[in-house]
């Protein structure tokens, strides 16, 4: 890495040159850096707005899952079988499915070797369990904080190798050649310099970018992504990187004051679902109005434990996803607050002393609670007995479930879609490799735990490819600046304009407004009319952003640049959703498309909840979307997905291709 200085528009800007830059320090970014270094490729650096920020570092769940090939007992499994599970989730390319399956073992054992405490039996078997959409017990877990452990151990490895880390640097643009064919560099702001007189812009000249910026966490208001995760998907769209499967975000019930998924035991102990007015008055057990009887209601709550994500296939016939619909109805349509209460049993299934009638449980739920020895007490008693750490977790975050109710919402948790990448995770913008959650490798459904596997596999693939193919010298700085100067000036101008504006909207206010809109129209309930309105609104905000925003403290630049990224992301996502509907796309994955010709779960619900299930026609296609920053327009293409081949490879042939480097062609 070399450091110089360059003068642009009266700014004396530090200019770093380095062959490969990894943006983001989550599990995917850190792994990319470690892998590149270990291949023998040393001219690299990590650029991150926060070494301890992001989803991997700061999230978890009841039993946070890692998905890999079965490695215990006599479970029959193969690369093809695992790839088929991915492929059967729909709208995923066969070659990517194969790579994620093939490299799952190497990636998993790598994590074991660096010290992630995945449990094994006394004879060394990594015993698996079944997760959602998984036919083969391929899941494993290091506990509620699997991804946190991954980042800790990977950070240790990165630091041991003295890999350069530029912390507190927020990416604000991806720099490209004139035709937007190839990445040329990056521009960031140094967050520690924002309230000083020192220069805060920083420029990077590089050959390759591994883009590990995580999911677009800030585009929704109701979100269980950790508060520290932002994302930079919009900046990649601005640079010409295409998106794919952007419609396929995943949503589910989570607490909002302390962001955590309410899956597993949190539902299996059968808490009360209540709603109140905005001041906490007028308490009501609102599920009672829509379930046929108490029995159906409590069994749906129990099932929510392991049917956590919202799924339109589980809405009708008193399914567990009816609960998500009802939470949305109370909160978004009726404007009430929704809570879980562990201090009392649901009234409908209890006697006058609030003793729970366990005989109303299905056989499955009854024997689960019986085996756990909790056919007793209130939900909180059952929770503490069955899973004390689950209770302690909230206590540690200043919420005592034994004393207070827990505010919840149907929250965005993950995006199966994201930026387009090929089988080496390279995007359509040459030399830019989206890895981790920002890469949209998955389709409609995916087994729980595949996000973490995909992040490890994708970052390894990108590192291997770069190490084996990057033979070019970097552009010299003069040439580099001549190509990217206008792009840098446009960012400087944006900043100057919003500093000079004396009135308008504060970035944080517009941020809140646009996020609320997204949660209302682009989350689990989607209707064409509202999507078009929201898209036009976001487009209007984006086109006038420079004129509308104003700040009176330079620290607000951080939010202003994030807002810019987020508005682009929202616009492209809304376009993708509308395009899906225009192509006769129906309810699937984790969202419901309002459709007056369809059915709704209960007559008393508004018609916006009428829907038809997808007939699966579109799962053979992948929707890609490109964005044009000049006129803020989008264009979609429906690409037939690559099939999944079950080919019996011949060792000598593959060995030759490997020796000759043909595998990278
Ligand atoms: C509640 C919850 C539970 C989950 N449970 C599971 C599970 O059980 N199994 C599973 O497989 N997956 C799960 N996931 C998903 C999984 O955790 C994430 O997909 C994964 O951790 C993402 O890792 P990443 O490295 O791609 O991104 P992240 O860990 O989010 O890292 C992104 C990095 O990029 C940096 N960054 C972002 N924007 C910028 C910018 N503009 N400039 C500079 N740096 C930037 C961030 O600071 C961060 O360092 C869960 C997610 C949530 C929210």
């Amino acid at each position: 890495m070399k450091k110089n200085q360059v003068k642009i528009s009266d700014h004396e800007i530090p200019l770093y040159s380095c062959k490969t830059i990894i943006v983001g320090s989550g599990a995917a970014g850190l792994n990319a850096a470690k892998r590149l270094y270990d291949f023998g490729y040393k001219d690299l650096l990590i650029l991150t707005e926060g070494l301890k920020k992001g989803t991997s570092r700061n999230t978890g769940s009841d039993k946070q899952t890692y998905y890999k090939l079965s490695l215990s007992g006599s479970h029959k499994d193969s690369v093809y079988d695992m790839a088929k599970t991915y492929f059967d989730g729909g709208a995923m390319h066969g070659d990517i499915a194969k790579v994620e399956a093939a490299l799952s073992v190497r990636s998993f054992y790598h994590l074991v070797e660096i010290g992630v405490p995945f449990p094994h039996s006394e004879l060394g078997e990594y015993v698996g369990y079944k997760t959602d959409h998984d036919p083969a017990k391929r899941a494993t877990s290091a506990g509620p904080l699997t991804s946190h452990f991954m980042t800790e151990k990977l950070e240790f490895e990165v630091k041991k190798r003295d890999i350069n880390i530029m912390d507190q640097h927020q990416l604000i643009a991806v720099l490209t050649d004139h035709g937007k064919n190839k990445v040329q560099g990056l521009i960031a702001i140094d967050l520690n310099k924002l309230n000083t007189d020192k220069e805060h812009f920083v420029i990077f000249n590089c050959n390759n970018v591994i883009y590990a910026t995580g999911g677009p966490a800030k585009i929704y208001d109701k979100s269980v992504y950790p508060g520290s995760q932002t994302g930079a998907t919009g900046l990649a769209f601005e640079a010409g990187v295409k998106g794919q499967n952007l419609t396929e975000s995943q949503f589910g019930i989570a607490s909002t004051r302390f962001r955590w998924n309410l899956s597993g035991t949190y539902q299996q102990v059968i808490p009360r679902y209540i709603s109140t007015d905005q001041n906490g008055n007028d308490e009501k057990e609102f599920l009672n109005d829509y379930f046929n009887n108490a029995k159906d209601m409590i069994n749906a709550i129990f099932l929510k434990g392991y049917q956590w994500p919202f799924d339109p296939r589980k809405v009708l016939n008193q399914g567990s996803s009816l609960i998500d619909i009802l939470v949305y109805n109370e909160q978004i349509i009726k404007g009430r607050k929704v809570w879980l209460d562990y201090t009392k049993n649901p009234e409908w299934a209890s006697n006058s002393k609030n003793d729970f009638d366990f005989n109303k449980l299905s056989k499955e739920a009854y024997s689960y609670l019986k085996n756990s020895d909790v056919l007793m007490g209130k939900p909180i008693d059952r929770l503490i007995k069955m899973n004390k750490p689950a209770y302690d977790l909230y206590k540690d975050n200043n919420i005592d479930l034994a004393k207070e109710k827990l505010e919840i919402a149907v929250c965005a948790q993950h995006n199966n879609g994201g930026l387009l990448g090929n089988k080496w995770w390279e995007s359509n913008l040459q030399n830019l490799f989206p890895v981790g959650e920002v890469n949209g490798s998955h389709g409609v459904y995916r087994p729980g735990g595949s996000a973490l596997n995909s992040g490890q596999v994708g970052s390894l693939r990108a590192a291997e490819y770069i190490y084996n193919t990057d033979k070019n010298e970097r552009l010299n700085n003069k040439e580099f600046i001549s190509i990217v100067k206008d792009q840098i000036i446009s960012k400087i101008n944006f900043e100057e304009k919003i500093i000079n504006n004396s009135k308008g909207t504060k970035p944080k206010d517009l941020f809140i407004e646009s996020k609320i809109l997204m949660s209302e129209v682009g989350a689990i309930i989607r209707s064409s009319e509202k999507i078009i309105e929201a898209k036009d609104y976001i487009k209007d905000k984006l086109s006038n952003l420079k004129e509308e925003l104003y700040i009176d403290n330079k620290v607000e630049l951080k939010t202003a640049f994030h807002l810019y990224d987020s508005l682009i992301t929202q616009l492209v996502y809304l376009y993708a959703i509308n395009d899906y509907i225009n192509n006769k796309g129906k309810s699937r994955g984790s969202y419901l498309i309002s459709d007056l010709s369809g059915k709704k779960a209960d007559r008393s619900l508004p018609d916006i909840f009428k829907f038809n299930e997808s007939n699966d026609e579109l799962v053979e296609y992948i929707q890609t979307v490109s964005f044009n920053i000049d006129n803020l327009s989008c264009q979609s293409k429906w690409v037939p997905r690559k099939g999944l081949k079950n080919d019996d490879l011949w060792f000598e042939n593959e060995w030759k291709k490997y020796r000759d480097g043909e595998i990278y062609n």
Side-chain angles (χ1 to χ4, degrees):
M1 179 174 83
K2 290 200 179 106
K3 185 178 176 193
N4 292 83
Q5 187 124 322
V6 56
K7 185 162 184 187
I8 301 178
S9 297
D10 291 336
H11 287 257
E12 291 285 349
I13 307 179
L15 167 58
Y16 292 88
S17 5
C18 166
K19 281 192 99 177
T20 293
I21 300 181
I22 294 134
V23 189
S25 55
L30 291 168
N31 188 54
K34 191 230 169 214
R35 296 294 202 161
L36 259 179
Y37 188 97
D38 288 355
F39 279 123
Y41 186 106
K42 307 277 155 73
D43 193 10
L44 72 151
L45 74 86
I46 298 175
L47 174 100
T48 178
E49 66 180 354
L51 186 55
K52 311 282 184 206
K53 289 185 172 178
T55 305
S56 330
R57 178 74 69 155
N58 297 292
T59 203
S61 62
D62 213 26
K63 195 162 70 179
Q64 202 188 11
T65 302
Y66 191 96
Y67 200 62
K68 44 126 199 68
L69 210 66
S70 289
L71 292 169
S72 70
S74 58
H75 300 298
K76 302 262 181 303
D77 206 356
S78 70
V79 168
Y80 176 78
D81 285 335
M82 180 170 164
K84 188 154 183 326
T85 302
Y86 281 139
F87 192 73
D88 289 347
M92 181 175 188
H93 284 304
D95 56 350
I96 305 272
K98 196 59 123 17
V99 178
E100 290 196 5
L103 288 176
S104 69
V105 176
R106 181 170 167 193
S107 296
F108 171 70
Y109 277 128
H110 174 248
L111 293 170
V112 171
E113 291 308 318
I114 64 171
V116 179
F118 285 111
H120 60 74
S121 70
E122 64 186 305
L123 298 183
E125 291 179 278
Y126 285 89
V127 180
Y129 59 90
K130 252 191 193 187
T131 174
D132 43 323
H133 311 305
D134 165 32
K137 288 194 178 174
R138 297 189 181 109
T140 183
S141 172
L145 298 176
T146 304
S147 62
H148 176 86
F149 292 143
M150 286 164 63
T151 51
E152 268 185 350
K153 298 294 176 192
L154 286 163
E155 181 190 335
F156 177 78
E157 297 295 322
V158 162
K159 289 194 165 153
K160 204 161 78 180
R161 287 160 179 76
D162 258 341
I163 296 172
N164 293 308
I165 302 176
M166 297 193 64
D167 199 1
Q168 298 299 309
H169 280 69
Q170 177 181 332
L171 180 77
I172 60 162
V174 173
L175 305 172
T176 69
D177 62 354
H178 294 308
K180 290 197 170 176
N181 295 312
K182 185 178 181 311
V183 71
Q184 299 287 3
L186 303 167
I187 173 161
I189 49 175
D190 182 341
L191 300 175
N192 288 327
K193 305 246 171 82
L194 289 182
N195 49 7
T196 70
D197 291 336
K198 295 192 183 126
E199 179 56 57
H200 57 263
F201 285 110
V202 188
I203 304 169
F204 299 87
N205 169 10
C206 61
N207 278 4
N208 307 289
V209 171
I210 298 187
Y211 209 67
T213 52
K218 293 278 190 234
I219 63 171
Y220 289 104
D221 173 53
K222 307 270 182 270
S223 166
V224 64
Y225 282 95
S228 71
Q229 169 58 3
T230 55
T233 311
L235 301 181
F237 290 145
E238 182 188 31
V241 181
K242 291 183 186 174
Q244 68 177 15
N245 282 332
L246 300 176
T247 48
E248 306 308 315
S249 297
Q250 207 175 64
F251 304 88
I253 291 174
S255 54
T256 47
R257 176 144 74 92
F258 161 60
R259 292 180 173 194
W260 202 254
N261 283 1
L262 291 161
S263 57
T265 336
Y266 291 114
Q267 303 288 348
Q268 283 156 343
V269 299
I270 314 177
R272 265 184 353 134
Y273 275 75
I274 55 178
S275 73
T276 66
D277 65 20
Q278 287 297 324
N279 300 320
N281 303 318
D282 186 28
E283 183 182 299
K284 193 168 178 196
E285 289 194 32
F286 63 95
L287 299 187
N288 303 10
D289 294 344
Y290 305 95
F291 275 92
N292 293 339
N293 51 56
K295 195 170 172 201
D296 285 350
M297 180 187 78
I298 57 172
N299 286 306
I301 298 175
F302 176 84
L303 281 177
K304 195 114 230 24
Y306 45 92
Q307 296 180 351
W308 181 79
F310 172 70
D311 183 344
R313 298 172 304 184
K314 299 185 181 103
V315 169
L316 299 178
N317 306 317
Q318 310 277 289
S320 59
S321 284
L322 172 57
I323 298 175
D324 304 74
I325 296 272
L326 300 178
V327 171
Y328 179 95
N329 186 41
E330 290 295 302
Q331 207 162 46
I332 309 283
I333 309 282
K334 296 190 187 167
R336 290 166 66 81
K337 289 189 171 199
V338 185
W339 317 78
L340 286 189
D341 177 14
Y342 290 87
T343 64
K344 287 187 201 144
N345 285 310
E347 246 174 47
W348 211 10
S350 312
N351 65 16
S352 56
K353 289 190 195 134
N354 197 244
D355 295 327
F356 195 69
D357 182 357
F358 292 99
N359 293 320
K360 286 196 161 61
L361 288 173
S362 66
K363 224 171 128 190
E364 180 192 8
Y366 185 89
S367 56
Y368 188 93
L369 295 186
K370 184 166 190 288
N371 290 341
S372 310
D373 202 17
V374 291
L375 291 177
M376 53 82 176
K378 309 281 185 243
I380 189 65
D381 305 317
R382 300 193 279 275
L383 183 68
I384 290 174
K385 180 141 191 209
M386 246 164 91
N387 188 350
K388 175 109 182 337
Y391 165 75
D392 291 339
L393 181 80
Y394 276 95
K395 192 95 193 290
D396 294 345
N397 286 282
N398 303 317
I399 300 174
D400 187 348
L401 298 178
K403 294 194 179 126
E404 56 192 304
K405 51 191 190 299
L406 181 67
E407 189 164 5
I408 62 164
V410 184
C411 292
Q413 186 235 17
H414 181 265
N415 192 198
N416 287 358
L419 301 176
L420 178 147
N422 65 14
K423 63 177 185 250
W424 289 101
W425 269 246
E426 187 176 21
S427 71
N428 59 298
L429 183 68
Q430 218 181 307
N431 297 81
L432 184 133
F433 300 78
V435 304
E437 189 175 329
V438 74
N439 183 302
S441 63
H442 293 130
V444 185
Y445 296 99
R446 63 170 176 91
S450 7
L452 291 178
N453 178 54
S454 176
Q456 296 304 288
V457 170
S459 47
L460 167 60
R461 284 292 272 191
E464 179 181 341
Y465 187 81
I466 289 171
Y467 170 69
N468 284 286
T469 60
D470 180 23
K471 308 293 177 222
N472 297 334
E473 282 307 306
R474 260 190 330 270
L475 287 180
N476 67 49
N477 284 341
K478 206 167 157 206
E479 243 180 305
F480 166 71
I481 291 295
S482 78
I483 294 173
V484 301
K485 193 168 177 185
D486 289 349
Q487 298 167 57
I488 297 168
I489 290 174
S490 104
K491 296 297 154 191
I492 295 174
N493 288 348
F494 173 82
E495 172 178 309
E496 279 173 1
K497 181 81 177 82
I498 64 173
I499 290 173
N500 289 333
N501 287 344
S502 53
K503 58 180 177 33
T505 311
K506 285 281 191 159
K508 87 168 174 355
D509 295 334
L510 184 50
F511 224 136
I512 293 170
E513 220 178 279
S514 67
K515 286 197 301 189
I516 291 177
L517 183 64
M518 274 303 277
S519 280
E520 281 174 10
V521 309
I524 60 164
I525 310 296
R526 304 172 176 187
S527 78
S528 187
E529 203 183 311
K530 292 196 168 177
I531 294 283
I532 292 170
E533 260 174 44
K535 190 162 64 71
D536 291 346
Y537 173 83
I538 299 283
K539 189 171 175 177
D540 182 59
K541 291 292 165 196
L542 197 52
S543 58
N544 295 310
L545 198 64
K546 250 195 324 193
E547 285 70 36
E548 180 169 348
L549 288 189
Y550 91 103
I551 59 171
D552 37 34
N553 183 331
K554 277 195 182 172
V555 174
E556 291 170 86
L557 284 171
K558 182 175 150 180
T559 314
F561 281 115
H562 276 317
L563 173 64
Y564 177 77
D565 165 73
S566 180
L567 290 174
I568 295 178
T569 311
Q570 289 169 334
L571 180 61
V572 181
Y573 272 56
L574 289 169
Y575 171 88
I577 295 172
N578 190 46
D579 180 68
Y580 175 77
I581 300 173
N582 287 343
N583 279 278
K584 302 196 170 49
K586 304 272 185 262
S587 307
R588 70 178 192 184
S590 199
Y591 54 88
L592 187 153
I593 305 285
S594 294
D595 185 343
L596 287 177
S597 75
K599 289 186 182 157
K600 55 184 175 182
D602 187 272
R603 244 188 296 145
S604 64
L605 283 169
D607 279 353
I608 193 167
F609 293 110
K610 281 190 170 175
F611 74 102
N612 284 304
E613 261 181 53
S614 165
N615 56 10
D616 279 356
E617 230 170 64
L618 290 176
V619 298
E620 292 308 324
Y621 294 86
I622 290 174
Q623 181 207 45
T624 65
V625 179
S626 45
F627 173 67
N628 183 341
I629 187 67
D630 298 328
N631 56 11
L632 305 184
S633 67
C634 296
Q635 226 182 355
S636 77
K637 221 173 165 181
W638 287 81
V639 183
R641 65 167 166 165
K642 289 179 202 148
L644 176 66
K645 293 189 194 145
N646 188 7
D647 32 14
D648 195 10
L649 301 173
W650 187 255
F651 180 79
E652 276 69 16
N653 294 347
E654 295 310 308
W655 187 14
K656 179 170 185 322
K657 281 198 244 166
Y658 179 78
R659 281 195 320 263
D660 297 347
E662 258 183 71
I663 59 167
Y664 305 111
N665 294 341

